[in-house]
Amino acid sequence: MIEEQHPWNWYTPENCRVLIVGTFPPTKRNWSFDFFYPNKANFFWRMIAQVAGKQLEYPSGPLAVQERKNLLKQLQLGVTDMGKQIIRHENSSLDENLAALEFMDIFQILDENPGIKRLIFTSSSGKVSAVRWFTEFLAAQGIKHRLPSGKRPIRSEMEYNNKKIELVVLYSPSPRAANRISMETLVALYRDEILDE
């Protein structure tokens, strides 16, 4: 059992319009670089590169981080996780082995990035997921919100600072979820939500 603090909190480029929300980074032994979605087995960056119409050149190291930040800038896309401080059981990267001690302050991210109009959640199933932790974060602020279930994309919305924020649940880009959906479908779903004006 290890207590961990989120290494990056969030990354939001200038004019950020959409924020992708995950759960928490994998164990450090699985990192290829020091930034979000560092596990090379995860499809996240391959998918984002395809949405941006680019090929990834750098698999690891500082150049890989810069390349991925450039993709986010191009797409006006931010990225964060719901877990700010967690307990990790069995040194495992699986969401079900994480327990949240503190949630990321999504409202602070929205305050600092007033252009964000949509949150995309990368996971919703199981006892531990980005959506589950988000609803717990809202409940701690005295806000009751329940996202519907069903076929993805799952859509909902909430009011924050007199502004409508769209909430969208998509499939996880993790290899575990890959047997449920093809890469082409995954890219198409994310492209629709990231590029949609």
Side-chain angles (χ1 to χ4, degrees):
M1 198 167 77
I2 315 157
E3 204 171 296
E4 290 180 39
Q5 195 77 23
H6 199 288
W8 316 292
N9 289 337
W10 60 81
Y11 178 81
T12 49
E14 211 178 332
N15 305 317
C16 184
R17 297 175 305 104
V18 178
L19 181 68
I20 290 189
V21 184
T23 43
F24 198 81
T27 52
K28 212 160 186 177
R29 68 172 185 271
N30 292 335
W31 291 13
S32 296
F33 44 81
D34 193 3
F35 195 54
F36 288 90
Y37 297 94
N39 185 344
K40 58 179 169 284
N42 193 294
F43 300 132
F44 182 81
W45 291 113
R46 278 197 338 209
M47 178 183 78
I48 294 301
Q50 285 189 43
V51 170
K54 297 270 168 49
Q55 286 279 330
L56 289 172
E57 288 182 51
Y58 301 103
S60 61
L63 288 173
V65 174
Q66 193 52 56
E67 178 179 40
R68 282 147 184 80
K69 285 182 176 177
N70 291 342
L71 291 173
L72 296 176
K73 282 176 193 157
Q74 178 189 327
L75 296 169
Q76 297 175 302
L77 180 65
V79 64
T80 190
D81 289 308
M82 277 313 305
K84 185 173 174 66
Q85 191 177 7
I86 60 108
I87 289 172
R88 189 188 299 277
H89 298 279
E90 298 174 28
N91 201 21
S92 164
S93 292
L94 299 177
D95 282 355
E96 58 259 34
N97 289 319
L98 305 178
L101 297 175
E102 184 186 350
F103 294 123
M104 202 66 72
D105 190 345
I106 298 297
F107 291 162
Q108 185 185 344
I109 302 174
L110 294 176
D111 289 340
E112 290 179 11
N113 299 272
I116 292 175
K117 63 185 181 83
R118 179 176 296 142
L119 305 182
I120 297 174
F121 297 93
T122 61
S123 66
S124 66
S125 55
K127 286 194 174 86
V128 174
S129 69
V131 167
R132 182 71 63 97
W133 281 1
F134 179 69
T135 53
E136 288 176 24
F137 163 77
L138 290 180
Q141 321 289 320
I143 301 167
K144 281 194 174 128
H145 190 91
R146 191 179 164 87
L147 276 96
S149 53
K151 194 172 185 293
R152 288 157 181 74
I154 296 168
R155 296 182 189 287
S156 181
E157 59 182 38
M158 62 177 240
E159 192 94 7
Y160 180 70
N161 274 355
N162 301 314
K163 192 173 72 173
K164 265 193 191 129
I165 305 289
E166 294 174 49
L167 308 174
V168 181
V169 182
L170 295 179
Y171 292 96
S172 167
S174 73
R176 253 176 121 196
N179 57 5
R180 294 200 298 269
I181 185 167
S182 72
M183 185 67 173
E184 293 73 26
T185 306
L186 198 64
V187 170
L189 283 169
Y190 275 83
R191 180 184 285 123
D192 285 351
E193 302 304 331
I194 291 166
L195 301 183
D196 171 46
E197 289 302 321

